[in-house]
């Protein structure tokens, strides 16, 4: 298993990390490891929120 620094993750890896955190039911404020104002923080936040919305029951 290869371990990468969080700050070397590319866009698709940040997306994957955010989706997995949302699916596990984590709290966004605790799950987002990236500094506020960074592009990774923004991508993580937006993808996390979208995935949480997708997981909500319909009806």
């Amino acid at each position: 298993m290869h371990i990468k620094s969080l700050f070397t993750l590319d866009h698709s890896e940040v997306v994957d990390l955010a989706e997995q955190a949302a699916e596990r039911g984590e709290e966004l404020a605790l799950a987002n490891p990236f500094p506020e104002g960074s592009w990774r923080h923004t991508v993580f936040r937006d993808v996390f929120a979208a995935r949480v919305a997708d997981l909500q029951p319909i009806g």
Side-chain angles (χ1 to χ4, degrees):
M1 181 167 133
H2 179 72
I3 299 174
K4 288 178 77 170
S5 166
L6 287 173
F7 302 104
T8 63
L9 298 180
D10 64 26
H11 186 272
S12 65
E13 292 169 319
V14 174
V15 167
D16 188 48
L17 189 66
E19 287 176 339
Q20 290 180 31
E23 290 168 4
R24 287 191 302 268
E26 294 186 26
E27 185 178 332
L28 175 58
L30 298 175
N32 192 339
F34 304 105
E36 193 168 343
S38 70
W39 71 264
R40 288 178 180 93
H41 180 90
T42 303
V43 169
F44 188 101
R45 180 197 64 210
D46 294 348
V47 169
F48 184 97
R51 187 65 184 134
V52 167
D54 287 345
L55 294 171
Q56 296 303 309
I58 299 174

